[in-house]
Amino acid sequence: MSSTTVSAGKADPGAVSRDVALQLFRVMKLTRETDDRLERKLYRQGKIVGGCYVGRGQEAIPIGCVIALEPDDVIFPTHRELGAFIARGMSLTTLFAQYLGRADTPTRGKDGNAHIGDMSLGLINYVSHLADSVPIAAGAAWAFKARGEKRVALNFLGEGSTSRGDFYEGVNFAAIHKLPAIYVVNNNQWAYSTPTHLQMPVANVADRAPAFNIPGVIVDGNDVEAVYLAALEACARARRGDGPTLIECKTFRMTGHSAHDDAGYVPKEQFELWARKDPIQRMERRLRERGWVDDAAIAAMDAEMKKSVEAAAETALAMAYPDGSETLERVFAEPHRVKDVFPWRHTDEYKAIEIKKEKP
Ligand SMILES: Cc1ncc(C[n+]2csc(CCOP(=O)(O)OP(=O)(O)O)c2C)c(N)n1
């Protein structure tokens, strides 16, 4: 099976309804506004500590995919999928509070924007190890198949992650068992500071799909309608029992790897080139051509979004930090269970070794 291509701007104008097109556009705009408030204000004001990863320029990918899913499907985001959380309905206040390390958040103040999840929204947390979620998504898809449920597991990852072993193991398993899994790769051409040609001996991530005998689809990742249509098709295939799809979305990371990184290693011309392909401006031009938005509609949307983003940020800033006693709660080894998990740590011999180590 060879890779297929869905290319730039080829999404048939009639293929996406007016309602869905406007929804895609609104969520992209809201995500950009939130992203700007987070990185360009709160991070720079020193209010967000630690990593602050953003997906500026890549909004079409998580949003196009998540809006193509059914509410029962599950999503495995990574660090660039702010849009997936917003499209799935996580409140903006919760998202701001999460980045700000507040107590009343999915990770209870223990983390910033990485590793967020919310099982009630079908958003499954990831851990830092790249590509580790690929076999886990296969596991979720396996459970759906075993139970006879028509649900889909959709896993996001970067092109750098597809060079990891977990990627091959997970996709291979999903392909053998024809599981309802979708692997969506944001190929933003840089894995931190490593350009694609230094970590992949093939031109496209989709070229890796024939090794699993599954479709490898190349989509213009800055065309939200093309992404949406590719995800819909992959969902239909998964629900029919025909197995996984690998969707490669060609895009560009319009920032550094995270807020602390000025991306000095990326040639300036690449930013200029990709700024002209901005997914939000592109969708706006298309909607105007179709007569679905005009100046007044855009101005109203902008004003409403600025207001809700501002209100969410202010509410989150006023929220409490976690109490120190939270530190050891809900981590891998809960304090009251340490004795069961590491019984040897409680022996006198072990304590003697520890004391010796401290005072040689
Ligand atoms: C196994 C592993 N190696 C290194 C890292 C550090 N790291 C975090 S994100 C990242 C770059 C990932 O690139 P890619 O998969 O292309 O995703 P992108 O950040 O470009 O969206 C690296 C090297 C990690 N988290 N896990």
Side-chain angles (χ1 to χ4, degrees):
M1 187 176 287
S2 58
S3 60
T4 53
T5 304
V6 178
S7 57
K10 286 277 164 60
D12 167 6
V16 179
S17 71
R18 181 180 188 274
D19 281 358
V20 171
L22 286 171
Q23 189 189 6
L24 293 167
F25 180 59
R26 287 179 66 87
V27 182
M28 282 203 297
K29 275 176 83 68
L30 186 58
T31 301
R32 179 75 61 88
E33 187 67 36
T34 306
D35 186 313
D36 284 350
R37 185 75 171 84
L38 284 164
E39 194 212 353
R40 296 187 169 168
K41 284 203 182 156
L42 294 172
Y43 181 82
R44 293 184 192 177
Q45 290 167 346
K47 291 183 175 143
I48 293 175
V49 292
C52 179
Y53 302 91
V54 293
R56 194 174 303 125
Q58 303 185 187
E59 295 88 348
I61 302 165
I63 293 162
C65 289
V66 169
I67 289 179
L69 295 177
E70 295 296 327
D72 253 7
D73 297 332
V74 293
I75 302 157
F76 293 76
T78 60
H79 49 290
R80 304 223 186 273
E81 271 77 53
L82 176 63
F85 291 92
I86 296 181
R88 197 60 161 187
M90 185 174 277
S91 90
L92 291 184
T93 303
T94 303
L95 276 165
F96 275 109
Q98 171 71 36
Y99 278 71
L100 290 162
R102 297 318 207 251
D104 191 11
T105 55
T107 61
R108 312 282 310 158
K110 289 191 188 66
D111 207 331
N113 82 293
H115 319 134
I116 326 173
D118 181 343
M119 293 292 269
S120 70
L121 294 173
L123 288 158
I124 314 225
N125 308 49
Y126 84 108
V127 297
S128 279
H129 305 84
L130 290 176
D132 88 295
S133 56
V134 177
I136 301 173
W142 198 20
F144 297 155
K145 184 169 176 170
R147 294 185 201 139
E149 297 170 350
K150 290 280 173 216
R151 296 164 71 188
V152 165
L154 186 142
N155 187 171
F156 292 105
L157 62 157
E159 83 291 345
S161 308
T162 69
S163 294
R164 296 274 312 162
D166 324 42
F167 170 79
Y168 292 90
E169 294 171 24
V171 180
N172 192 57
F173 186 85
I176 288 169
H177 296 285
K178 290 204 179 305
L179 302 180
I182 303 174
Y183 294 103
V184 179
V185 178
N186 76 66
N187 182 353
N188 60 20
Q189 306 175 48
W190 293 87
Y192 206 137
S193 53
T194 307
T196 319
H197 71 275
L198 288 181
Q199 63 89 12
M200 260 171 42
V202 284
N204 308 296
V205 172
D207 295 339
R208 293 177 152 166
F212 307 110
N213 196 25
I214 64 171
V217 180
I218 300 175
V219 184
D220 178 339
N222 284 26
D223 178 345
V224 72
E225 292 185 308
V227 174
Y228 168 79
L229 292 171
L232 265 191
E233 198 178 321
C235 283
R237 178 181 151 81
R239 291 189 222 283
R240 276 197 310 270
D242 290 344
T245 303
L246 176 64
I247 302 177
E248 173 183 10
C249 301
K250 303 271 193 195
T251 189
F252 199 72
R253 192 189 71 198
M254 293 300 287
T255 62
H257 173 64
S258 92
H260 70 267
D261 170 26
D262 71 0
Y265 47 83
V266 177
K268 221 169 77 241
E269 313 77 69
Q270 288 197 11
F271 283 117
E272 288 161 6
L273 174 74
W274 283 88
R276 293 198 287 277
K277 302 184 191 181
D278 183 276
I280 302 179
Q281 289 169 10
R282 208 155 145 192
M283 190 60 180
E284 180 177 327
R285 281 196 296 275
R286 216 179 261 178
L287 293 176
R288 281 179 186 273
E289 276 163 23
R290 292 182 201 160
W292 290 349
V293 292
D294 56 15
D295 287 348
I298 299 279
M301 260 186 221
D302 284 343
E304 179 210 311
M305 277 176 201
K306 274 198 186 340
K307 221 166 115 191
S308 53
V309 164
E310 194 54 34
E314 290 306 319
T315 309
L317 280 164
M319 283 165 65
Y321 284 108
D323 187 79
S325 61
E326 260 288 331
T327 314
L328 294 177
E329 294 296 327
R330 303 165 199 238
V331 289
F332 178 70
E334 287 163 26
H336 63 276
R337 291 185 48 216
V338 167
K339 206 166 177 179
D340 305 332
V341 179
F342 306 115
W344 46 277
R345 281 199 181 167
H346 294 265
T347 61
D348 288 342
E349 293 95 306
Y350 179 79
K351 282 181 195 149
I353 296 167
E354 286 292 282
I355 290 162
K356 240 203 282 98
K357 265 204 251 159
E358 275 170 26
K359 297 180 189 156

